[in-house]
């Protein structure tokens, strides 16, 4: 396997190793309708930026950060350009039941505030550490921990789960 001067693997190797992670995260963040488009857009952005990378460290985290930002762009594009009083509520469908066997949990996750929803999804679906979540959300690791903690507390309350 040939690599570049910076130690980066060929882009196809990156795709082969991480396409499932990108697809899964895109679908979790953008839903079944837009998930494939978000994943495709993430790969396009990654391909365009890849030659400029100077390090092969944390390539998976880098890809998932791009994916999260592409999903954010989709959600922003969905929002009507009206005042809050005029805008109808935005409903984001979750993944198919076959992909996520607990529809009650997905419904509770989709009801979380956007940043909490993204943080908990990046942490548990994307399997990112708090530094990766923070990078994806353009915040600090401490704020990432707080977002995930608040999301989990809300989910526990919503689903009636005890901490015991």
């Amino acid at each position: 396997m040939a690599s570049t001067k910076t130690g980066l693997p060929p882009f196809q190797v990156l795709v082969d190793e991480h396409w499932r992670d990108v697809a899964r995260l895109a679908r979790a963040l953008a839903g079944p309708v837009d998930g494939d488009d978000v994943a495709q857009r993430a790969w396009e952005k990654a391909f365009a930026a890849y030659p400029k990378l100077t390090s092969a460290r944390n390539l998976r985290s880098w890809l998932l950060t791009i994916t999260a930002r592409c999903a954010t762009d989709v959600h922003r594009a969905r929002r009507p350009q009206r005042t809050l009083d005029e805008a109808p509520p935005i409903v984001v469908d979750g993944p198919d039941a076959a992909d996520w066997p607990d529809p009650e949990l997905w419904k509770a996750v989709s009801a979380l505030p956007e940043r909490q929803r993204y943080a908990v999804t990046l942490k548990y679906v994307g399997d990112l550490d708090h530094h990766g979540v923070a990078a994806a959300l353009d915040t600090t690791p401490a704020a990432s921990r707080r977002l995930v903690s608040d999301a989990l507390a809300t989910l526990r309350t919503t689903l009636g789960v005890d901490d015991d």
Side-chain angles (χ1 to χ4, degrees), residues 23-105:
R24 187 175 72 184
L25 182 63
R27 192 172 173 106
L29 291 174
V33 174
D34 293 318
D36 291 341
D37 291 338
V38 166
Q40 180 64 33
R41 184 68 183 134
W43 284 115
E44 290 169 1
K45 286 184 173 248
F47 183 74
Y50 200 63
K52 297 174 190 148
L53 284 181
T54 58
S55 172
R57 282 191 51 202
N58 298 321
L59 290 175
R60 181 176 179 274
S61 179
W62 175 73
L63 284 169
L64 296 181
T65 297
I66 292 171
T67 304
R69 290 182 178 161
C70 288
T72 299
D73 292 344
V74 165
H75 287 295
R76 286 182 182 148
R78 282 185 189 153
R79 292 185 181 145
Q81 299 299 320
R82 299 183 249 176
T83 66
L84 290 178
D85 295 335
E86 300 171 349
I90 297 171
V91 177
V92 179
D93 293 330
D96 295 334
D99 293 338
W100 296 88
D102 191 343
E104 186 179 342
L105 174 61

Side-chain angles (χ1 to χ4, degrees), residues 142-160:
S144 162
R145 283 184 192 86
R146 183 59 189 227
L147 287 166
V148 170
S149 175
D150 290 350
L152 292 176
T154 300
L155 291 172
R156 285 185 189 106
T157 300
T158 302
L159 299 171

